[in-house]
Amino acid sequence: LVANDFHTDAKSHTSRLAQNHRVFQCVDGIRKRSRDLLTIYDDEDGSRKDELEGMAAENQEVYSLFYERLKEARDYHRRHPDLELASVDKDEEEFLKSRPRVDFSGEEAQGRFLDLHDVHRSFTNAPKFGNKDLSYLDFLGMFCDFRSIPKPSKLNQEYKAYLEDLDEYLVGFYGRSQPLASLGAPLAAVEKEFDEMWERGEVEDWEDKGLGASTSQVKDNPKLIDLEDFESAGDLEAVGGDRIKEALVALGLKAGGSLSQKAERLMATKGKALEELDRKLFAKGKKPVRNAEEAQRRLSLSKAIALLECRIRALMQLMEKTLSDTKKQVEKKATSTYEELVADMEELQDRGQGDDQGGDGTDNEDDENDNIIYNPLNIPVGFDGKPIPYWLYKLHGLNQEFKCEICGNFSYWGRRAFEKHFNEARHLHGMKCLGIPNSKIFSEVTKIDEAYALWENMKKKNSAVGFTQDEDEEFEDADGNVYNKKTYIDLQRQGLL
C-alpha cells in the first residue's frame, strides 16, 4: 500500500502533505500491529499456550474443537446474511484518495509558514526578558538568537516556560508538516552533545553554568589586577579607569561610578574571596551562590534552560527554509492591501479544492509549474498573475534601478518606489544603525559616506550657533508683552515702556 501511494506523483504542496500523512498512518499501523503481535507472543496470561495445546495432534478432541468453531462461524453468518465482506482492492482505492485531517492555523497555510504569534505575544508581555516594542517581523529574526537576551534575565521560571512553549510548538509543527521525518535521532544527538559540553563548561554563553562568579573561576583571569602592589584606592587610581573597569567586570562587580568609587570598590576585594564580599557590590545576575542548596537549584534551572535553547536552535536549522518563507510572507502581508490579501486567500482555497477534486494530485490544476509565464525582462506581475503591459512598465520608470547603500545595497525599481523608501522600515533601520536621525535633510542620500559627511556638517553648524544674549534672552513688560533683550532696551530708552 505504501509503495502504491509513493508511485503516485503528488505535484502540489497539499497533495504531497496528504500523501506523507497517509504513508505515516500506514507505518504507524504496522508498528501498532507489531506491538500487538509481540504482546500475543509473550503470552503473559497463557491463553495462546492453552489454545495451542487444545489444537495439538496428540489431543483426541482436536477434531471436535475444529468442527465446533466451524459451526460457530456458520451460525454467525446465518444470523447476518447481509454482512458485506471487506474488499482489499476497494479499501486501498478509497484509502489512496483519502486526505487525512491535519490541524493547521490560517497563518500556517497547510504547513507552509510558521505561526509564532502566541509566542511573540508571550515574549512582548514578559516583564523580565521581553521587549514590548518588538514587532512580529523583528521577532522572527531574533527569537532563536538567545545571546541578545542578558543572562540575568534568563534565570527564572517565566523564561523557562516561554522556551518550553516555543519548543513544544516547533516540535508539533515539524511533525504536522513533515510526518515522515523523525526528530528522535537528531534531538537525541543534540542532547548527548549538550551533556558532554555542559560537563566541560563549553556551552556557549553558559560557561559558568549559571552559578555566577567564584574565586576559583576568576583567579586566573588575565584582566585582574594584583592588588598586593597597591596600598590604597588612591594608589590604584593610577592604573586608569578603563583598566579598573575591566577588572571589576571580570570579577562580576558593578563597574559604574567615578574613578575613585571604582577604585574603592576594587580595593574592597583585596585579601577576600568573592563569597565573602557584600552582595550589593555585584552586578545583576553575577552574585555568587550562598550555599549548596541554592547552587544546586540554580544549576538545575540553568541546565534546563540551556538545553532548551540548544534544542530550539537545532530545530530552526531543520526548518531554516520555512522560517525564511515565513519572513517573506509577513513582509508581503505588511505591504499588501486588504483586497490583495483576500485574493491570496481565495487562491489558496481554490488550489486546495482543486487538490481535493484531483485526489492523487495528478491534475494539471495542481501542478505549480505547468503555467510558467515567459518573462525575460522580469516585468512586475499584476493582480492577475501576469506581467503588466510594457507601456505601463516604461511609463512608471520601473526599468530604472536605484540602489541604496544604507539599506544594504537593496535595489528599488522606479522613481516612485525609490522616493517612498526613505520613510520605510528598511531605510529607517539603516539610519538607526548608523546613529543618524532620519529627517528630510537626508532625503536622496543613499551612500553611507555621504550621510556621515552631511551629519558631521550639520553638527558643526549647530554647535557654531550658540546662545546669543541680545537675541535669546527674553524680557516682559507690565502688560505681559514679551521682547528679546535688544528690543526691550530700545523701547525702554525711547520711553515707550
Side-chain angles (χ1 to χ4, degrees):
L1 188 60
V2 173
N4 291 338
D5 203 350
F6 271 130
H7 280 311
T8 304
D9 188 13
K11 298 180 180 180
S12 71
H13 173 83
T14 308
S15 298
R16 286 192 296 271
L17 183 65
Q19 184 185 66
N20 290 341
H21 276 279
R22 286 196 301 269
V23 173
F24 176 76
Q25 287 182 356
C26 291
V27 175
D28 191 54
I30 293 172
R31 291 174 180 170
K32 183 178 183 302
R33 284 189 289 273
S34 299
R35 288 193 295 267
D36 293 342
L37 285 173
L38 289 175
T39 303
I40 293 173
Y41 290 144
D42 290 340
D43 196 20
E44 294 181 358
D45 57 355
S47 59
R48 179 172 177 269
K49 181 180 178 181
D50 295 340
E51 185 174 359
L52 290 176
E53 290 177 353
M55 297 172 61
E58 60 271 11
N59 194 330
Q60 299 298 326
E61 299 179 356
V62 61
Y63 294 105
S64 61
L65 182 63
F66 170 76
Y67 286 113
E68 181 182 349
R69 293 190 177 182
L70 178 60
K71 182 178 180 297
E72 291 177 357
R74 287 176 176 175
D75 292 341
Y76 177 81
H77 285 283
R78 191 178 297 111
R79 290 193 303 269
H80 303 87
D82 300 330
L83 183 66
E84 294 184 3
L85 297 178
S87 173
V88 176
D89 295 335
K90 184 178 179 181
D91 290 344
E92 286 187 3
E93 184 179 354
E94 292 180 354
F95 179 77
L96 293 176
K97 289 182 179 180
S98 66
R99 291 192 175 274
R101 177 178 177 81
V102 186
D103 293 329
F104 286 106
S105 67
E107 290 287 336
E108 290 173 338
Q110 295 296 313
R112 292 181 177 88
F113 314 114
L114 295 169
D115 183 8
L116 296 173
H117 284 87
D118 290 340
V119 182
H120 170 247
R121 192 177 302 110
S122 300
F123 183 83
T124 54
N125 292 332
K128 294 183 178 180
F129 59 88
N131 182 1
K132 64 179 181 180
D133 298 325
L134 190 69
S135 66
Y136 182 59
L137 181 59
D138 293 335
F139 175 75
L140 291 175
M142 60 74 61
F143 76 92
C144 55
D145 181 17
F146 303 106
R147 292 174 298 180
S148 59
I149 303 176
K151 189 188 296 184
S153 303
K154 298 180 180 181
L155 296 175
N156 52 76
Q157 293 294 333
E158 290 81 0
Y159 183 71
K160 181 184 176 183
Y162 159 77
L163 292 180
E164 288 174 345
D165 293 342
L166 178 57
D167 178 79
E168 181 182 0
Y169 171 78
L170 293 177
V171 171
F173 177 84
Y174 191 84
R176 286 180 286 127
S177 60
Q178 302 184 46
L180 297 182
S182 175
L183 282 174
L187 291 182
V190 169
E191 293 178 4
K192 180 179 178 182
E193 182 182 4
F194 170 81
D195 290 336
E196 295 174 354
M197 295 179 66
W198 181 265
E199 293 299 328
R200 299 194 301 265
E202 297 177 357
V203 179
E204 185 180 3
D205 201 34
W206 293 95
E207 290 80 2
D208 61 352
K209 299 183 179 181
L211 298 177
S214 64
T215 305
S216 58
Q217 291 176 337
V218 303
K219 64 180 181 180
D220 297 328
N221 195 321
K223 295 182 179 180
L224 296 181
I225 299 175
D226 188 3
L227 299 178
E228 298 297 332
D229 299 334
F230 303 93
E231 297 294 334
S232 64
D235 298 337
L236 185 58
E237 294 179 10
V239 302
D242 294 339
R243 184 70 182 87
I244 296 176
K245 183 177 180 180
E246 285 184 359
L248 290 172
V249 172
L251 292 171
L253 302 178
K254 296 178 180 178
S258 62
L259 177 60
S260 60
Q261 290 175 337
K262 289 188 285 188
E264 291 175 359
R265 195 177 304 132
L266 184 59
M267 282 299 296
T269 65
K270 184 177 179 180
K272 295 182 180 179
L274 292 180
E275 293 77 8
E276 301 175 359
L277 297 177
D278 187 355
R279 297 176 67 84
K280 295 180 180 180
L281 297 176
F282 290 92
K284 186 178 180 181
K286 298 293 185 179
K287 298 177 182 178
V289 293
R290 298 177 179 177
N291 48 52
E293 183 180 355
E294 182 182 355
Q296 184 61 32
R297 185 171 60 253
R298 188 184 296 185
L299 181 64
S300 176
L301 178 62
S302 302
K303 185 175 182 180
I305 291 174
L307 176 58
L308 286 170
E309 291 180 349
C310 290
R311 281 172 56 95
I312 293 171
R313 276 194 289 262
L315 288 169
M316 292 317 303
Q317 289 178 358
L318 297 174
M319 294 186 285
E320 186 175 0
K321 185 179 183 303
T322 306
L323 178 60
S324 176
D325 293 342
T326 304
K327 292 179 183 178
K328 293 178 182 178
Q329 176 69 3
V330 173
E331 290 179 350
K332 180 181 178 181
K333 290 181 66 176
T335 57
S336 300
T337 62
Y338 174 76
E339 290 77 10
E340 292 172 341
L341 293 176
V342 172
D344 289 341
M345 293 177 62
E346 292 177 350
E347 181 182 355
L348 288 174
Q349 292 176 358
D350 293 340
R351 187 179 301 173
Q353 292 175 359
D355 291 340
D356 292 337
Q357 296 172 0
D360 58 357
T362 58
D363 290 353
N364 291 333
E365 294 177 357
D366 295 342
D367 192 354
E368 298 174 352
N369 299 319
D370 276 352
N371 300 322
I372 298 178
I373 299 175
Y374 182 66
N375 188 10
L377 297 179
N378 197 22
I379 296 177
V381 178
F383 66 92
D384 57 353
K386 298 180 180 179
I388 63 175
Y390 186 71
W391 64 267
L392 187 62
Y393 172 74
K394 295 284 288 184
L395 177 65
H396 289 286
L398 298 179
N399 58 329
Q400 299 177 356
E401 181 182 10
F402 299 89
K403 282 193 174 183
C404 181
E405 187 179 354
I406 298 175
C407 297
N409 289 324
F410 191 82
S411 296
Y412 296 92
W413 296 92
R415 183 72 191 176
R416 181 181 178 184
F418 174 69
E419 293 177 351
K420 187 179 178 181
H421 98 278
F422 288 102
N423 293 322
E424 293 179 350
R426 188 189 301 273
H427 192 83
L428 295 175
H429 178 70
M431 294 292 286
K432 184 178 180 181
C433 293
L434 297 178
I436 302 175
N438 194 35
S439 62
K440 292 183 178 180
I441 300 175
F442 292 93
S443 181
E444 304 291 334
V445 177
T446 59
K447 299 291 185 182
I448 295 178
D449 295 339
E450 295 177 359
Y452 274 128
L454 180 57
W455 176 236
E456 293 296 332
N457 190 22
M458 288 178 58
K459 289 195 293 185
K460 289 180 181 178
K461 288 184 178 180
N462 292 336
S463 61
V465 181
F467 177 79
T468 305
Q469 188 174 8
D470 291 339
E471 298 293 336
D472 297 334
E473 190 174 0
E474 296 180 343
F475 287 80
E476 183 179 353
D477 61 7
D479 297 330
N481 299 316
V482 179
Y483 309 94
N484 59 34
K485 182 178 180 180
K486 182 179 179 182
T487 304
Y488 183 84
I489 293 176
D490 290 342
L491 293 175
Q492 191 179 39
R493 289 175 178 173
Q494 296 175 18
L496 299 178
L497 295 178

